[in-house]
Amino acid sequence: MWTGRRKPLTKAQQFVNLRGNPISRGEGELRAGRLTWRYTATPSPLGRDYEIRIEFKQGGRPQILVDGPDLHALAAGRRIPHLYQQKPPRLC
Amino acid sequence: MDYVDPKLQARRTQIVEVLEMVCESLELSNSQFAQAKQRYEGVGACVAGSDDPVLRTITIYLQGSTALRTTVRPIGVNEHDIDLVAHVPDLDVEISPAALKKAIGDCLRANGNYAPLLEEMPRCWRLSYANEFHMDITPSIPNPNGGFGGELVPDKTLKMWKASNPKGYKQLFEKRAKLAPVIRIRKHVALDSAQASVEPYSEAGGFKGVLRRTVQIAKRHRDIMFVDEPDVAPLSVIITTLASRSYEWCVTNREYDNELELLFDVIRHMPDAIEIHPVHGGVQWFIWNETTAGENFAEKWNRRPERAEAFYAWHERFCSDLAQLEAVSGLDRLGEVLKGLFGSRPATAEINSLTERVSAARRTGNLRVAPAVGLSVGSIPSSTTVRANTFYGSNR
């Protein structure tokens, strides 16, 4: 999973990076063994604002979830591509 | 330093690009224009080469939206309308409009190429090239009292000549279209990051000319709104005249942050050039043709006031539909607004093209992401390149 020369970042380092990055400007919590980060992202200047949540457990893979708006309502029955998990939507 | 929301600024830039592309898809392309020119020059040579001495010095040239380069494809048909003037410089008012029209018609009917395409209209001849153009050819002679260097064309009854000045109108329109607006270049600084600045950027560039695009967008919105009642739809010459007068006023009196703001302002001020005079308890409307003495483009409004009402209703709806463009977020919602403005075919094509441009840019490494703005094609200061998709996970 975490192969290569670089040592994997700790969740505390990830937290600091997320807090310092203007692209993911938001807020989150760092608790024992778990990092949660929430921010708003827009796919383009003409796009909607989406509420994004990142969940990360030390040693695991980060999970990126869309909390709102409801992607399935927007998709109106179409299957949404590029998701690891349909409900709640977890982005690849 | 003035703060401008970088996302709003980027939205406006992208909306201008969307409008520009929709207009391109609706207008006569350069190759169609070249083909039209070839066709009408052929018509001109045919008429001038006829045995009828009346037509010896005839010249054919463009008038109307094709001459101004403000064409918009009519709804539901494949053919663009192309208006032509067949001008005979050495004739005077001794010849009747009906006689000159007949001479032109006889000549075209005698030609095997044109006879099958020929159709008689009240004031002109129409050559219908299927899936290409309708070419309307209106006879004209010099106006001895013009003063403006104008011409005379048949009136509706074909009994009298009336003043017209297509060349003068075109010159004035072109002079106004050339006026350059003052677009302020501001330093945009986002509140949350000293580096998050967004200058106006663009892959496709801005409007090719705000005045021409304003006229095209307005005419298309008019066509969509009045598709079921074309009788009261505001005339193209009224839309064009009001837009060009408003444009001249806006660019000489105001400064703008971007072209979209200018477009909205030009449209907002369109009714300013309508003169309204109280008459016998009612009102009369005047939209003067500045290149022909005494020609009121709003003449019909005074006989049928519902035409004036239709103009003001259209103008109000047009302003509010355009405001929606800026207000909505989400490509799906933008698509709905574009359908209301331009019809479903150009709207769907444009939304698909926007999505495709993002995908293509992602593949070639030109897709950038900037704080608060999101993904964009082209260069934005302080943005990061988006890596190509690997499409892990379910793609079904």
Side-chain angles (χ1 to χ4, degrees):
Chain A
M1 182 181 46
W2 294 105
T3 54
R5 279 155 290 170
R6 283 204 336 216
K7 209 176 149 191
L9 299 175
T10 66
K11 63 180 175 8
Q13 285 171 313
Q14 297 278 23
F15 186 81
V16 169
N17 286 347
L18 284 168
R19 207 168 47 184
N21 190 339
I23 287 173
S24 55
R25 179 71 31 119
E27 55 189 30
E29 300 130 33
L30 188 59
R31 294 209 181 110
R34 192 179 186 88
L35 155 69
T36 302
W37 188 260
R38 289 186 183 81
Y39 71 103
T40 302
T42 182
S44 80
L46 299 175
R48 283 183 171 78
D49 285 332
Y50 292 88
E51 293 160 36
I52 305 294
R53 175 161 49 94
I54 299 174
E55 297 281 356
F56 178 54
K57 270 189 203 164
Q58 191 71 50
R61 287 192 170 113
Q63 301 202 357
I64 302 166
L65 304 138
V66 181
D67 284 341
D70 183 343
L71 295 189
H72 292 285
L74 292 180
R78 283 168 300 166
R79 191 178 166 78
I80 303 169
H82 314 314
L83 294 182
Y84 285 123
Q85 170 188 298
Q86 290 284 318
K87 281 189 184 175
R90 199 182 130 212
L91 305 182
C92 293
Chain B
M1 206 180 305
D2 294 329
Y3 170 72
V4 175
D5 177 358
K7 185 177 179 187
L8 182 61
Q9 183 71 3
R11 278 179 64 79
R12 287 173 173 158
T13 305
Q14 286 209 343
I15 290 169
V16 165
E17 287 175 12
V18 166
L19 294 176
E20 175 68 22
M21 290 212 185
V22 171
C23 287
E24 273 177 29
S25 76
L26 291 172
E27 71 185 356
L28 211 57
S29 68
N30 284 337
S31 63
Q32 286 174 310
F33 190 83
Q35 194 177 19
K37 187 163 185 285
Q38 196 186 1
R39 295 239 190 272
Y40 75 74
E41 284 174 352
V43 175
C46 166
V47 180
S50 85
D51 296 334
D52 191 336
V54 165
L55 305 177
R56 204 169 29 88
T57 57
I58 202 163
T59 54
I60 292 199
Y61 64 86
L62 288 169
Q63 65 166 338
S65 62
T66 316
L68 305 177
R69 305 301 302 254
T70 57
T71 54
V72 171
R73 185 186 300 116
I75 290 176
V77 290
N78 279 332
E79 292 87 3
H80 275 275
D81 293 322
I82 293 181
D83 294 319
L84 298 164
V85 175
H87 184 68
V88 188
D90 60 359
L91 289 181
D92 58 31
V93 288
E94 292 296 309
I95 189 164
S96 75
L100 181 55
K101 187 186 162 203
K102 183 174 178 302
I104 295 169
D106 287 348
C107 171
L108 292 172
R109 202 176 285 118
N111 182 298
N113 293 329
Y114 298 126
L117 311 175
L118 195 65
E119 206 182 323
E120 181 157 14
M121 310 298 282
R123 292 173 55 207
C124 65
W125 293 99
R126 171 171 289 182
L127 289 171
S128 297
Y129 294 88
N131 294 319
E132 289 180 11
F133 328 105
H134 294 144
M135 285 189 173
D136 286 349
I137 305 165
T138 303
S140 111
I141 59 170
N143 182 356
N145 313 314
F148 292 97
E151 301 172 12
L152 296 172
V153 294
D155 72 349
K156 216 164 47 185
T157 64
L158 214 59
K159 288 185 180 135
M160 306 268 285
W161 291 105
K162 66 165 200 160
S164 178
N165 191 0
K167 280 188 175 168
Y169 189 90
K170 180 176 176 233
Q171 274 168 11
L172 182 61
F173 183 88
E174 286 175 345
K175 191 182 120 210
R176 286 178 172 154
K178 273 187 200 148
L179 295 172
V182 179
I183 305 286
R184 284 187 291 255
I185 302 294
R186 291 203 204 179
K187 190 77 182 163
H188 307 294
V189 178
L191 290 174
D192 54 359
S193 165
Q195 293 182 325
S197 65
V198 176
E199 296 297 337
Y201 58 91
S202 157
E203 181 196 32
F207 281 126
K208 293 244 166 68
V210 176
L211 174 55
R212 286 189 171 86
R213 291 319 192 199
T214 305
V215 171
Q216 287 175 306
I217 294 164
K219 281 165 60 177
R220 181 67 178 187
H221 185 269
R222 179 266 326 256
D223 290 346
I224 299 279
M225 181 166 161
F226 291 95
V227 72
D228 294 325
E229 40 177 356
D231 286 356
V232 293
L235 299 176
S236 291
V237 73
I238 287 183
I239 289 177
T240 309
T241 304
L242 295 180
S244 75
R245 293 181 71 162
S246 174
Y247 179 82
E248 181 178 49
W249 185 87
C250 287
V251 299
T252 46
N253 290 285
R254 294 193 169 180
E255 294 181 0
Y256 299 91
D257 279 339
N258 53 63
E259 290 184 325
L260 192 67
E261 200 184 25
L262 167 61
L263 174 88
F264 286 0
D265 209 30
V266 170
I267 289 162
R268 206 175 299 124
H269 285 281
M270 276 174 68
D272 294 1
I274 302 173
E275 287 179 27
I276 303 173
H277 298 295
V279 177
H280 310 305
V283 294
Q284 287 214 311
W285 291 275
F286 299 91
I287 301 168
W288 296 113
N289 179 353
E290 300 147 282
T291 61
T292 303
E295 186 175 17
N296 175 16
F297 291 133
E299 197 187 328
K300 286 180 186 163
W301 295 12
N302 297 325
R303 290 196 303 273
R304 292 183 58 197
E306 65 269 28
R307 279 180 164 269
E309 285 164 28
F311 171 83
Y312 286 104
W314 164 75
H315 183 257
E316 195 180 328
R317 170 96 75 87
F318 187 36
C319 290
S320 74
D321 283 356
L322 282 170
Q324 282 291 309
L325 263 188
E326 230 186 17
V328 297
S329 66
L331 284 187
D332 53 334
R333 292 180 184 145
L334 180 73
E336 290 304 314
V337 177
L338 288 175
K339 275 182 198 173
L341 277 165
F342 301 112
S344 59
R345 202 166 62 167
T348 309
E350 181 47 35
I351 292 298
N352 290 343
S353 133
L354 266 180
T355 313
E356 176 45 34
R357 268 184 288 156
V358 170
S359 303
R362 187 194 298 272
R363 284 195 297 273
T364 55
N366 285 327
L367 192 64
R368 320 275 300 173
V369 59
V373 174
L375 298 177
S376 286
V377 177
S379 62
I380 317 171
S382 76
S383 63
T384 309
T385 305
V386 177
R387 283 195 293 180
N389 258 335
T390 52
F391 290 131
Y392 289 125
S394 165
N395 189 20
R396 280 170 295 142

